């Protein structure tokens, strides 16, 4: 599992992030504290987009591929 800080520069990037997550073949979640949300849900990601403690968790062993694909949001 990969766990990295998550940030968004603008609201439009949240939608781009969610659309990218929908295309991967592994589970991705966004987390703030103990609350975990499905990263495929636009409403969930929008709720936590401005939180500086937001973390993205991807259930993959390929850290480099994940970081490359989602570099604009990390």
């Amino acid at each position: 599992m990969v766990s990295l800080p998550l940030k968004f520069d603008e609201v439009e990037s949240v939608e781009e992030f969610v659309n990218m997550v929908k295309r991967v073949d592994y589970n991705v979640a966004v987390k703030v504290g103990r609350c975990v949300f499905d990263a495929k849900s636009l409403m969930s990601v929008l709720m936590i987009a401005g939180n500086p403690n937001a973390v993205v968790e991807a259930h993959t062993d390929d850290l480099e591929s994940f970081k490359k694909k989602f570099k604009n949001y990390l």
Side-chain angles (χ1 to χ4, degrees), residues 3 6 29-37 48 53-57:
S3 184
L6 181 65
V30 290
K31 184 176 175 182
V32 176
R34 294 184 302 167
C35 298
V36 179
F37 303 94
I48 60 105
N53 299 320
V55 173
V56 61
E57 290 186 346

Side-chain angles (χ1 to χ4, degrees), residues 32-47:
V32 176
R34 294 184 302 167
C35 298
V36 179
F37 303 94
D38 183 4
K40 293 180 182 177
S41 167
L42 181 60
M43 291 303 291
S44 294
V45 180
L46 280 171
M47 284 186 342

